[in-house]
Amino acid sequence: MNITKEQIDDLNAVVTVAITKDDYQDKVDKILKDYRKQANIPGFRKGQVPLGLIKKQYGKSILVDEVNKLLQDNLNKYLTEEKLDVLGNPLPKQQDNFDWDNEELAFEFELGLAPDFKVSLDTKKPITRYKIVADKKMVNEQVDRMQKQYGKLVSKTEVSKNDEVTGTFKNEEEDIDNKATLELQKIKSKKSLEALKGKKVGDSITVKTKGLFKEDYLLSSVLGVSQEKAKDLDIEVNFTISEINEREPAALNQELFDKLFGEGKITSEKEMKERIKEDSEKQFEQQADQKLLNDVTEYFIDNTKFKLPSEFLTKWIQMTGEEPLTEDQANAEYAKSEKGLRYQLIEGKIIKDNGIQLQFEELKEFAKGFIRSQMAQYGQLDPKEEELDNIAARVLGNEDEAKRLSEQLMSQKLLNLYKEKANLKTKEMNYEDFIKEVYG
């Protein structure tokens, strides 16, 4: 067997694999003899079928199978040994007048080669790194929400501005008949608020659905309809009051601190606010980090210039899908995937140039950290190390989960690298301003 490569240009090559009869004949003969031992052909005893008849019936298909196995094994070995960085997979070239009866067979494969390029982490243009702070207003609002969540309901005889009013919404034409609780602080419509004030159990009012709430998503839940239906709903509904309550906030005392943070962890309102600020800013940091990762990614895609073997890749997409594509379909698929492919190459280059590796032990510790945070959400704040080890082993035993966690850990390593070496400028703001600036 002989394998040679013809370099077409920097991004394309053709590999020719020449196979002689000596490369495959022994294997083919052995399989034919095994077939003969097992063959059941009318008119012959088992194992006594003439070898010539076996060759006539099965010889060509066995030859093709064995040659294809040789091709696959040796072509992959060649690409590895020659350290050829190929994109997609080798594509067999159409060869007219190919004859399987020849003693010497030659097969040609097209290769698309990865481009050679450089990536500079020291970006020319500074990239914004957001630092989101939990300001005093946000912390105080969070304290208020916690007090209300753990407070108690006090029954009232008539509605005032901060109450929670339970009742039934009805509109026969729209088939609406749903019992729900309104928090008056979330109502936007001044007309509806005025109509509710002073009302008692058993009273009814008519409200317009459009612009009823400060947050539009609340309408679907109180009316018992889908978000899609509630989105443009502009009707009048009847609301009959069945219950009026005022939520009395929980006192800021040790009992509340223990419920929220665990026994003895927090002992004062000051410590509570410091903890809320700390926890909030940890969550904000995750959002800011994701924004930074996205922005650095976009920067590299836009500013790292290299060519791709686009013609080869389009042909590869056309030929290797579950179903063959037309040329136009393949061009469209390539256009959709090109940006992702470019970043895969850029990311791979950054990983290689900076010697970034994933070790199993650090992946295991990363998985344990993820598991620990999941357990904390369900009140398990101090799991034993043995328990974490066992769960991590099960998680990493799942191929899909192991891949997902590996990708997350690699993203974290890349993020740390960008924070260290990229040209970043820090911009500090509160969460509300961050949302406005980033998401409009």
Side-chain angles (χ1 to χ4, degrees):
M1 181 180 298
N2 185 41
I3 302 179
T4 57
K5 177 171 72 77
E6 178 189 0
Q7 193 76 30
I8 306 300
D9 55 37
D10 289 343
L11 300 175
N12 295 276
V14 173
V15 167
T16 302
V17 183
I19 297 178
T20 67
K21 193 172 183 179
D22 291 341
D23 295 319
Y24 60 80
Q25 193 61 54
D26 288 349
K27 184 69 173 175
V28 170
D29 288 344
K30 181 179 184 306
I31 295 173
L32 285 170
K33 289 176 182 177
D34 289 340
Y35 267 49
R36 186 189 182 206
K37 293 176 184 177
Q38 302 299 324
N40 285 311
I41 296 179
F44 299 95
R45 286 185 296 168
K46 187 175 181 180
Q48 299 300 314
V49 180
L51 188 59
L53 183 58
I54 297 294
K55 284 183 179 180
K56 186 176 181 180
Q57 287 196 2
Y58 303 109
K60 185 62 65 69
S61 63
I62 293 172
L63 169 65
V64 172
D65 284 347
E66 289 308 307
V67 168
N68 281 330
K69 288 177 187 176
L70 275 173
L71 283 172
Q72 184 175 353
D73 292 344
N74 287 277
L75 184 57
N76 289 338
K77 183 180 177 183
Y78 173 80
L79 296 177
T80 301
E81 290 176 347
E82 295 296 315
K83 298 180 180 177
L84 293 176
D85 192 0
V86 299
L87 301 179
N89 294 312
L91 286 179
K93 288 188 70 175
Q94 183 69 35
Q95 293 173 262
D96 297 329
N97 303 317
F98 186 86
D99 187 356
W100 283 97
D101 292 326
N102 289 337
E103 293 197 358
E104 292 188 3
L105 304 172
F107 302 86
E108 294 181 338
F109 295 88
E110 296 178 67
L111 302 182
L113 305 177
D116 185 25
F117 60 93
K118 294 181 180 180
V119 182
S120 174
L121 294 179
D122 186 12
T123 56
K124 293 179 180 179
K125 179 183 176 183
I127 298 172
T128 300
R129 178 184 178 184
Y130 290 94
K131 182 180 180 183
I132 310 171
V133 296
D135 57 17
K136 189 175 181 180
K137 178 187 173 187
M138 171 175 279
V139 172
N140 288 336
E141 287 175 350
Q142 182 70 354
V143 171
D144 289 342
R145 281 194 292 271
M146 289 176 170
Q147 285 184 272
K148 286 181 181 178
Q149 182 181 350
Y150 287 89
K152 62 180 180 180
L153 292 176
V154 179
S155 180
K156 295 181 63 179
T157 57
E158 65 177 52
V159 179
S160 59
K161 65 177 183 178
N162 292 320
D163 292 341
E164 296 180 12
V165 182
T166 301
T168 302
F169 286 93
K170 287 189 177 182
N171 179 297
E172 290 186 8
E173 290 182 5
E174 296 292 336
D175 195 26
I176 292 172
D177 186 351
N178 191 60
K179 188 174 182 179
T181 298
L182 299 177
E183 293 182 49
L184 267 61
Q185 288 182 328
K186 295 182 179 179
I187 293 178
K188 179 181 179 181
S189 168
K190 292 181 180 179
K191 187 175 180 180
S192 298
L193 280 172
E194 288 301 319
L196 279 165
K197 285 179 184 177
K199 292 295 186 289
K200 299 179 180 179
V201 171
D203 289 345
S204 297
I205 65 167
T206 299
V207 297
K208 284 192 172 183
T209 56
K210 188 171 183 180
L212 180 58
F213 292 104
K214 295 175 183 177
E215 302 289 344
D216 291 338
Y217 74 89
L218 293 170
L219 185 63
S220 67
S221 60
V222 300
L223 297 184
V225 299
S226 68
Q227 288 281 1
E228 185 179 356
K229 181 175 181 178
K231 184 179 179 182
D232 299 312
L233 195 62
D234 186 6
I235 60 172
E236 290 186 341
V237 291
N238 181 266
F239 180 65
T240 302
I241 299 171
S242 59
E243 191 177 337
I244 304 166
N245 293 296
E246 179 181 12
R247 188 171 288 275
E248 187 177 287
L252 292 172
N253 55 24
Q254 195 59 49
E255 181 183 357
L256 178 63
F257 301 151
D258 290 347
K259 283 180 182 177
L260 291 169
F261 304 105
E263 190 172 345
K265 302 282 187 182
I266 299 295
T267 59
S268 69
E269 181 180 346
K270 180 183 177 184
E271 288 182 7
M272 177 186 182
K273 290 182 176 180
E274 288 173 350
R275 174 67 177 272
I276 290 172
K277 179 178 174 65
E278 180 186 340
D279 290 348
S280 297
E281 289 180 353
K282 280 182 182 177
Q283 292 181 349
F284 296 157
E285 185 178 8
Q286 293 177 3
Q287 284 185 264
D289 281 350
Q290 188 59 55
K291 171 63 177 168
L292 176 60
L293 194 59
N294 293 343
D295 288 347
V296 173
T297 297
E298 288 296 326
Y299 178 89
F300 285 141
I301 291 173
D302 293 340
N303 293 276
T304 307
K305 304 300 181 183
F306 53 82
K307 291 182 179 180
L308 290 169
S310 54
E311 187 177 333
F312 168 84
L313 290 170
T314 302
K315 188 190 295 185
W316 179 71
I317 289 171
Q318 185 177 8
M319 296 177 63
T320 58
E322 291 184 7
E323 296 182 4
L325 301 178
T326 66
E327 188 174 340
D328 287 343
Q329 288 173 326
N331 283 325
E333 284 298 315
Y334 175 72
K336 285 193 292 185
S337 62
E338 182 184 1
K339 187 174 181 179
L341 174 57
R342 286 185 176 276
Y343 186 67
Q344 283 181 20
L345 291 171
I346 293 168
E347 185 182 81
K349 179 72 171 172
I350 293 170
I351 290 169
K352 182 180 178 181
D353 288 351
N354 291 276
I356 301 175
Q357 296 180 338
L358 294 185
Q359 304 295 338
F360 179 76
E361 281 304 314
E362 62 182 347
L363 179 59
K364 181 180 175 182
E365 288 304 312
F366 183 76
K368 285 164 66 175
F370 177 76
I371 295 162
R372 192 180 286 109
S373 65
Q374 291 282 83
M375 294 174 75
Q377 292 180 20
Y378 295 94
Q380 294 176 265
L381 302 175
D382 192 23
K384 293 181 179 179
E385 201 67 21
E386 183 180 356
E387 184 179 11
L388 289 172
D389 284 334
N390 290 336
I391 297 174
R394 290 199 299 272
V395 170
L396 294 175
N398 181 301
E399 187 176 340
D400 291 337
E401 283 297 305
K403 181 181 178 184
R404 183 179 65 84
L405 288 169
S406 295
E407 289 171 352
Q408 289 181 4
L409 179 55
M410 181 56 75
S411 291
Q412 186 63 53
K413 283 177 170 278
L414 287 168
L415 182 65
N416 292 339
L417 179 71
Y418 300 153
K419 286 180 179 179
E420 179 187 347
K421 295 190 175 182
N423 181 11
L424 307 179
K425 61 176 181 181
T426 301
K427 191 171 185 179
E428 186 174 304
M429 59 179 60
N430 65 30
Y431 185 68
E432 187 177 341
D433 290 340
F434 170 77
I435 294 298
K436 288 178 182 177
E437 180 163 326
V438 172
Y439 303 107

